[in-house]
Amino acid sequence: MQPPMEELAAPAERGMSITVLGSGGPFVNPTRASSGVVVWLDRRAVLLVDAGGGTFERLGRAGVDVRTLEAVLLTHTHIDHSGGLAPVVFGMAMAEREWPLAVAGPTGRGQHPGCVRFCDLLFGPDGAWSYLHTFPGFALAPMEAPSDAADPSAATTLLSGSGLTVRSVAMPHGMMPAVAFRIDAAGRSLVISGDVDGQHPPLAALARDADLLVHDMALPERDVPHGDLHAKPSTVGRMAAAAGVRALLLTHVMPELEDEQAAAEETIRAEYDGTVRWASDLLTVEVGGAG
């Protein structure tokens, strides 16, 4: 059964909160936009993590002033995680933002462009929407994080300042270069996995003792199409337990899982004894809070 969208709740007055903009995947869904999360600090929107289809509309519903966003973080460039970036960028320009926007994402591999080329293909001087360069003072400042999941390198620091730190590790997601992000701010810690195709020890290390882990929970335990691209519930439970995270928020729900969430949650709870919640569009959660 499809969940209704949440009644919009305000982010915490102090500290870090998130609002889920999109809790679904690449399928048309009346109540779930594709992937996206906005991160708030003291009720100011500071980061957008992923920008799938529908997230632009959800930004409006959530009351986000896009001019305050310090960066957009892309876990990978599958369309359901990045297809809504252009409206967000254009909305900033039209709102007369006159300073650059940092966009961080994975390095490229094969046919999949890295974050720098991805932004250039969209907004560069020869890009699809090159007229972005006609807006005074506004531009994109793309940066790339290592995306080779076979490389056991430690986490990479991408942003540090303005009271927050963003680190990343490479994630396995089929042929698609991908990363996970950890955000530390206001004494709280948030990890967003993006999509991952199995248990990945570097993710557990990145998420060690985090207050909240937002994890891809797309498919049931049984074998289904695309099952090789997403972690099963048992794997998610083991990963959360290994990381020692305080709370787990499950998102990226796809049609095969809609009617099997109870079974998936039971499987997760057999491995992990922390707080477990399911994401729905416009759900607001205080990171490290009781809700």
Side-chain angles (χ1 to χ4, degrees):
M1 180 179 294
Q2 308 247 347
M5 282 191 290
E6 295 284 332
E7 292 290 332
L8 186 64
E13 185 173 346
R14 302 294 299 173
M16 179 162 47
S17 302
I18 65 168
T19 297
V20 178
L21 302 175
S23 59
F27 297 94
V28 175
N29 187 313
T31 61
R32 294 189 192 274
S34 294
S35 296
V37 171
V38 65
V39 180
W40 308 83
L41 282 182
D42 302 339
R43 290 194 178 175
R44 181 174 68 93
V46 292
L47 296 172
L48 174 62
V49 185
D50 285 341
T55 55
F56 182 69
E57 186 269 353
R58 299 288 196 261
L59 283 165
R61 286 183 183 252
V64 173
D65 181 352
V66 294
R67 293 172 299 180
T68 71
L69 292 173
E70 297 184 16
V72 174
L73 311 178
L74 298 177
T75 62
H76 60 291
T77 57
H78 272 150
I79 295 171
D80 58 323
H81 291 254
S82 66
L85 177 62
V88 173
V89 169
F90 190 41
M92 290 181 178
M94 292 299 293
E96 298 183 350
R97 175 179 172 131
E98 295 184 350
W99 57 96
L101 171 69
V103 181
T107 55
R109 183 168 66 248
Q111 69 184 43
H112 303 293
C115 186
V116 172
R117 183 163 179 263
F118 180 77
C119 290
D120 192 58
L121 287 168
L122 293 178
F123 308 111
D126 297 315
W129 294 294
S130 59
Y131 68 90
L132 178 75
H133 291 271
T134 66
F135 291 86
F138 181 60
L140 298 189
M143 64 186 74
E144 295 186 348
S147 67
D148 182 0
D151 182 351
S153 299
T156 298
T157 299
L158 296 170
L159 299 169
S160 183
S162 302
L164 60 85
T165 299
V166 177
R167 292 182 289 156
S168 71
V169 294
M171 299 289 282
H173 187 42
M175 297 302 294
M176 173 61 70
V179 296
F181 295 106
R182 178 174 177 133
I183 300 148
D184 289 280
R188 303 296 185 182
S189 50
L190 165 70
V191 176
I192 298 180
S193 72
D195 293 356
V196 55
D197 60 23
Q199 188 159 357
H200 188 49
L203 175 60
L206 183 74
R208 183 77 60 212
D209 298 327
D211 290 297
L212 179 63
L213 169 62
V214 181
H215 200 293
D216 159 30
M217 187 65 270
L219 301 170
E221 190 75 16
R222 60 188 173 86
D223 291 335
V224 294
H226 313 292
D228 59 336
L229 293 177
H230 299 277
K232 294 181 181 296
S234 57
T235 301
V236 174
R238 287 193 297 271
M239 210 294 306
V245 297
R246 177 178 175 185
L248 180 62
L249 182 64
L250 305 170
T251 192
H252 201 290
V253 178
M254 297 215 287
E256 292 91 341
L257 188 61
E258 288 287 2
D259 295 328
E260 300 184 38
Q261 291 182 40
E265 183 172 332
E266 183 178 356
T267 300
I268 289 168
R269 290 185 183 278
E271 305 285 348
Y272 169 68
D273 60 6
T275 300
V276 178
R277 295 186 68 177
W278 290 89
S280 54
D281 287 20
L282 299 182
L283 172 70
T284 296
V285 176
E286 181 180 355
V287 177

